[in-house]
Structure formats: C-alpha cells, structure tokens
Amino acid sequence: MNTDIALTFVQVTEGAALAGYQWLGCGNKENADQAAVEAMRLLLSNAAINGKIVIGEGEIDDAPMLFIGEELGQGGPNIDIAVDPIEGTRMTAMGQSNAIAVLAASEQGSLLQAPDMYMEKLVVGPKSHGAIDLDLSLEDNLTRIAQSLSKPINELVMATLAKPRHDGVIKQVQSLGVRVYAFPDGDVAASLLTCMPESDIDLMYCIGGSPEGVITAAAMQALGGDMQAKLLFRDQVKGQSTENQLHAQIEQQRCVEMHVKANTKLELNDLASSKNVIFSATGITKGDLLEGVKAGSQNLTTETLLIHGQSRIIRKIRSTHDFSLLNSELHAKSA
C-alpha cells in the first residue's frame, strides 16, 4: 500500500478523533462513539479503496459501530480494515487521558475476521519476539521474557487494564517483583509502548476486545514485535449470568460462521499475516503515546502516529485543521 493510501487513513483517524473531541468531557460515551463512527464511515466511504471491515468495535457493549463485513470506498485496491473509532470512549466522555481513534489496514485476507468478543492478549517488543507462549502460565512467560531481555524478572514492567477481572493477575505478578502499569482503558496504546525505545514497558497482558487485538497485531507485524491471543466467550470473562450465557451462545454461533475457534491460541500470523500494513492512530486526549486534540482560537491541532509496514517507516504527523471548515467539508462529502 502506497503513501497516498496511508495518508488517506491518517485523514480517517483524524476525522474520527475530531468528531469524538466534540464530546470531550460531556459524560456521554455513546454520543462520542457515534460521532466518531459516523465520521470514520463517511471518510472511508469517500476513499479511493475497496475497503472491507473485518472486525470492528461495538457489538461487545452494544455501542455504535462499523459493521463486520461492511464494504466502503469509491474503488481501488482491495483492503481489509480493523477499526476502533474511539479506543477509550469512557476516557473521552470523562476528559481522561489516552483516548485515541485508531485503525489498521492490510491487503485482502491478511487480517483475522472474527466477532467482536473478548480476547486474551500477550504482547512483547522485538527483543522478546518468539519468547512467548500463551499456552504456558503467565509466570512462565514472564520468566521467558526476562531471559530474552537478559534481565531479572523483578526488573520487568507489565502494562495491563485496570479492570476487576485483572485484580488477581496484578497481585500475582507484583508478588514476583514485576512492576505493573494499569491503564483505565486503551490496550492498543499500551501494547505499542512495548516497541517504543523511550518506553520502559516490556509486555502487555490483558483480557480486552478482539478488534483492538487485531489492530495491535497489525502494528506488531510492522514494528517487529510479537503477540499471541485467545478469543474468549463473554460468560468466561463476565460470569455465568443468564444474559452472559445467552450472549456467549451467539458468540459461539458467530465463531462457527466465521471459521474461528475460541479458547485456542492464535499466533501473530493468525491475527495479521502480512507486514504490508498501515496503522494510524490519532490522539483525542493527551496520553503516553500521542498528544490529544488541541484547540486554538480558529483551529484544532491533531497528532497522529502512522506506521507504514512495507517501508518500516514510523511517522508522527501534526496537523492543523481550520475549525470553520471542518463541518462544511464533512457536509460536502456526505451530500
């Protein structure tokens, strides 16, 4: 995929971030998500691609979404797209840090097509590539990662999500001397930090959403990192309530229809099989990975991380958007 297509996807995440920003701190995550979804759909619909959404955020929590299998674009190369219009809807609604608009794109057939369901994920940077095995215990993996980095286990730093389901894991790894950075949301950004030279995070482990997992895998292919994952049913993660069991039955059926297996280890190439990927993430709120949208008197400024897998080039792009033109441009494109 060439530079022009890469810049098209930058515009898509910028548009989603700007749309979500309009709801920053308003306490309504659904409205923020809906605005970002609509902006992303509109911009993808007008792009010079034959795009297909292979996995998208929304079904897992009944939020607005770009639908799995949805086809978008005005014609061009066949591209699979994994999207999360806002990773961190609650953070956007509450004005908290680390909210981003993000997508990954790759050549047709190279990204895992799966339901939006829970996913167990283990992510490491390039120096630990090949050292992980999700069929082993987390403690065994920590030992292997420490060995790959030539340092003792009590010098490791693990990122995870600050969710009740991870309380036991956090206590377990802390008892081994591992430091834990627990983010409120946002495991894509946390995963990418394992590959950033200025970051001290060695691994990311969590149970989160599958769209973020596929997006992360695409980025790992481009950055030389590694990842393994397992799809999990809702009742395994959220408990054996009637509602969760009914939802799990639907997930089981969808897995059969999409020819994917839950509770089975997926290696990096199962999640994203090509290095010819484009990853674009635009900050909505200031975070560890990106600056958030900043408002001037007549403009808005965004910062985007663009990873072009084919050239192995990583760019941070700072863009200034004339506030008075944003709504008129979107209106013209939707007409």
Side-chain angles (χ1 to χ4, degrees), residues 13 18 28 71 123 170 186 210 234 246 248 257 268 279 297 305:
T13 59
L18 291 166
N28 192 319
E71 297 182 357
V123 184
I170 292 172
S210 56
R234 178 176 290 208
L246 289 173
E257 294 169 355
L268 181 61
F279 172 96
S297 58
L305 177 67

Side-chain angles (χ1 to χ4, degrees), residues 218 221-223 275-279 307-313:
Q221 282 283 19
L223 294 171
K275 295 185 184 299
N276 186 18
V277 301
I278 292 170
F279 172 96
I307 303 171
H308 194 256
Q310 197 169 34
S311 63
R312 300 299 294 270
I313 293 175

Side-chain angles (χ1 to χ4, degrees), residues 35-89:
V37 166
E38 290 175 356
M40 192 171 273
R41 175 178 282 119
L42 178 61
L43 291 164
L44 286 171
S45 294
N46 285 279
I49 60 171
N50 284 321
K52 180 181 178 182
I53 305 299
V54 296
I55 191 163
E57 182 70 17
E59 293 174 342
I60 199 169
D61 49 10
D62 300 318
M65 66 178 295
L66 286 152
F67 296 99
I68 296 170
E70 187 171 352
E71 297 182 357
L72 299 162
Q74 295 294 313
N78 296 318
I79 296 174
D80 285 352
I81 307 170
V83 298
D84 193 351
I86 298 183
E87 190 197 24
T89 53

